Amino acid sequence: MSKTGKKAAAADRRARIEAMRRAEQVRERRNRIITVTISVVIVAGLAGWGAYAINDADEKEERTAAEAKKPVQGEKTWNAKKLGRNHVTGTVDYPMNPPVGGDHNQAWMTCDGTVYTKPVADENAVHSLEHGAVWVTYNDKAADADVKTLSDKVSRTPYTLMSPVEGQAGTIMLSAWGHQLGVEKASDPRVEQFFTKYVQGAQTPEPGAACTNGLTAS
């Protein structure tokens, strides 16, 4: 091959190499743009989800606080200052059934979302109310489906307990310290309101006191 031919071939190779380099640079720029774009979209999505989650949590907290301020329609109340809080031995003659406060045994019933299938002693359950628990009780008129629904709810809710109470006036009753509500069905919306308002609510004489490691029963 002549010198002229060799020069032409070398120039052609250099041109092809340069073209390949430019094509590679174009691909690299395109990939960087795609990567940056995807990253921006992901970050924006995460930021948007985070803001949504925060706002949703704030709204739920506001709704809960607002719900806790509303009176529970149909509930009975007692003057908490007139309910005794002494530790006593033996039985107590409570003026209401189930009781909503008063002198009680020094041992509380475990109320960490605890469902008892047999009656428990009033004097121990009242101590649980003093700790801010809601006590769900029912008589033999309660439907099995309602008992199951309430059992499931209690088992998911710390600072609650549930047991049957023979002779109570209402089919289903919810008690907190100084407050009581009777309903006929577990689906009554006031059940949820009562839980929201009184589980460790403002009525609690000893907020934060333990509901674990108390007495237990079958």
Side-chain angles (χ1 to χ4, degrees):
M1 180 181 294
S2 65
K3 291 183 178 180
T4 301
K6 290 180 179 179
K7 289 182 179 179
D12 184 57
R13 284 196 300 273
R14 287 195 296 273
R16 289 199 302 272
I17 291 171
E18 185 64 27
M20 292 171 62
R21 287 175 177 171
R22 287 197 296 270
E24 181 64 25
Q25 290 172 350
V26 169
R27 283 195 296 271
E28 289 179 354
R29 286 197 297 272
R30 183 173 64 248
N31 289 339
R32 284 198 297 272
I33 291 171
I34 292 172
T35 300
V36 170
T37 301
I38 292 174
S39 298
V40 169
V41 171
I42 291 174
V43 170
L46 289 174
W49 180 86
Y52 169 79
I54 292 172
N55 289 337
D56 187 53
D58 289 343
E59 289 177 359
K60 287 182 179 178
E61 186 175 344
E62 290 175 1
R63 287 196 300 269
T64 299
E67 194 71 15
K69 293 179 180 179
K70 295 179 181 178
V72 180
Q73 185 177 3
E75 74 170 357
K76 294 181 179 180
T77 61
W78 288 260
N79 187 337
K81 294 181 180 180
K82 295 183 179 180
L83 294 174
R85 291 179 54 199
N86 299 310
H87 287 176
V88 297
T89 59
T91 59
V92 177
D93 184 18
Y94 295 105
M96 72 293 287
N97 184 35
V100 298
D103 295 343
H104 50 269
N105 192 278
Q106 65 177 354
W108 60 90
M109 292 302 302
T110 296
C111 44
D112 190 31
T114 314
V115 177
Y116 299 101
T117 58
K118 295 181 180 179
V120 300
D122 289 345
E123 293 77 15
N124 303 113
V126 168
H127 197 157
S128 300
L129 301 186
E130 187 181 39
H131 288 191
V134 164
W135 183 17
V136 179
T137 57
Y138 58 96
N139 62 20
D140 56 5
K141 295 180 181 179
D144 291 343
D146 287 330
V147 173
K148 176 64 166 58
T149 297
L150 291 168
S151 297
D152 291 344
K153 181 171 182 58
V154 167
S155 65
R156 296 191 304 266
T157 310
Y159 283 95
T160 64
L161 70 161
M162 179 174 174
S163 69
V165 170
E166 298 177 1
Q168 70 175 27
T171 302
I172 298 167
M173 301 188 75
L174 292 83
S175 302
W177 190 270
H179 300 267
Q180 191 169 79
L181 173 70
V183 297
E184 294 298 318
K185 304 290 291 183
S187 57
D188 192 310
R190 293 175 297 170
V191 172
E192 183 65 31
Q193 185 185 4
F194 197 93
F195 272 64
T196 298
K197 189 176 182 70
Y198 295 123
V199 171
Q200 278 286 286
Q203 86 291 342
T204 304
E206 296 181 2
C211 244
T212 57
N213 300 320
L215 294 182
T216 58
S218 59

